[in-house]
């Protein structure tokens, strides 16, 4: 059974789509093409590992890749995800994209205004969507992952640096 060797674990509006598209161009990296955010470890865990495995190449096909992965931005926030991930994947590399919290929140607001036709002010958005602020408190979520993975398994990339 082929499963990922790496996961992108977050955060929204911090360049994960760019990272996905960049990695997908590399001939020795496999990423699912049907969907970027599979959301297995946070939303579809009850569908079992066989369902998840269907997103990845067969063992024979996998031999041509040096890395197999997927990117789901909300894995960072899921309390159960670190344990679930490490119980199914053997020493996965975790890629974490972070962005200046204020810039990330503003981008989240502009994204909602554009895609969901949100008409409220930025201040109203923050009242209506408190998760936009909570998504920018990174440290407690990172600490949870650090209890399950070794430091060499977690690569933190900063939006402004890439």
């Amino acid at each position: 059974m082929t499963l990922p060797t790496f996961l992108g674990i977050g955060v929204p509006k911090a360049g994960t789509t760019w990272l996905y598209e960049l990695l997908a161009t590399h001939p020795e990296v496999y990423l699912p093409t049907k969907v970027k955010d599979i959301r297995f470890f946070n939303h579809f865990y009850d569908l079992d590992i066989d369902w998840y495995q269907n997103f990845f190449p067969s063992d024979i096909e996998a031999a041509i890749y040096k890395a197999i992965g997927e990117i789901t931005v909300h894995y960072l926030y899921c309390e159960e995800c670190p344990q679930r991930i490490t119980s199914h994947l053997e020493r996965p590399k975790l890629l974490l994209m972070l962005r200046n919290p204020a810039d990330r929140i503003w981008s989240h607001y502009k994204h909602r205004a554009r895609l969901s036709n949100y008409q409220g002010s930025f201040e109203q958005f923050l009242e209506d969507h408190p998760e936009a602020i909570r998504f920018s408190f990174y440290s407690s979520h990172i600490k949870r992952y650090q209890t399950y993975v070794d430091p060499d398994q977690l690569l933190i990339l900063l939006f402004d640096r890439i």
Side-chain angles (χ1 to χ4, degrees), residues 61-77:
E61 295 168 325
I64 67 170
Y65 299 105
K66 288 190 177 181
I68 296 171
E70 66 118 334
I71 297 174
T72 296
V73 297
H74 290 284
Y75 283 164
L76 179 67
Y77 308 114

Side-chain angles (χ1 to χ4, degrees), residues 6 19-21 23-24 29-33 55 67-71:
F6 75 90
L19 179 64
Y20 172 89
E21 291 172 357
L23 291 172
V29 174
Y30 179 88
L31 287 165
T33 56
F55 287 92
I68 296 171
E70 66 118 334
I71 297 174

Side-chain angles (χ1 to χ4, degrees), residues 9-142:
I9 61 172
V11 302
K13 310 316 298 166
T16 56
T17 299
W18 172 84
L19 179 64
Y20 172 89
E21 291 172 357
L22 179 69
L23 291 172
T25 65
H26 195 290
E28 295 176 325
V29 174
Y30 179 88
L31 287 165
T33 56
K34 295 176 189 169
V35 62
K36 177 185 146 239
D37 292 273
I38 296 174
R39 300 181 293 157
F40 172 68
F41 291 107
N42 59 344
H43 289 293
F44 299 113
Y45 193 69
D46 60 327
L47 295 179
D48 79 38
I49 198 75
D50 292 330
W51 176 86
Y52 184 57
Q53 191 275 328
N54 286 323
F55 287 92
F56 304 102
S58 70
D59 290 343
I60 294 170
E61 295 168 325
I64 67 170
Y65 299 105
K66 288 190 177 181
I68 296 171
E70 66 118 334
I71 297 174
T72 296
V73 297
H74 290 284
Y75 283 164
L76 179 67
Y77 308 114
C78 168
E79 289 189 27
E80 298 84 9
C81 280
Q83 187 276 327
R84 290 174 177 175
I85 289 168
T86 56
S87 70
H88 290 288
L89 306 181
E90 186 177 330
R91 284 191 50 78
K93 299 288 186 183
L94 304 177
L95 306 175
L96 175 57
M97 300 284 294
L98 298 179
R99 186 175 187 178
N100 172 298
D103 293 341
R104 199 213 65 75
I105 295 168
W106 178 253
S107 181
H108 193 153
Y109 165 67
K110 298 299 280 183
H111 179 79
R112 286 285 177 106
R114 188 174 52 253
L115 291 183
S116 303
N117 200 28
Y118 183 81
Q119 299 292 316
S121 67
F122 180 64
E123 292 77 14
Q124 187 62 48
F125 172 77
L126 295 177
E127 288 181 31
D128 293 345
H129 301 281
E131 74 279 2
I133 295 173
R134 285 195 310 271
F135 285 167
S136 294
F137 294 146
Y138 307 134
S139 65
S140 62
H141 304 294
I142 293 170

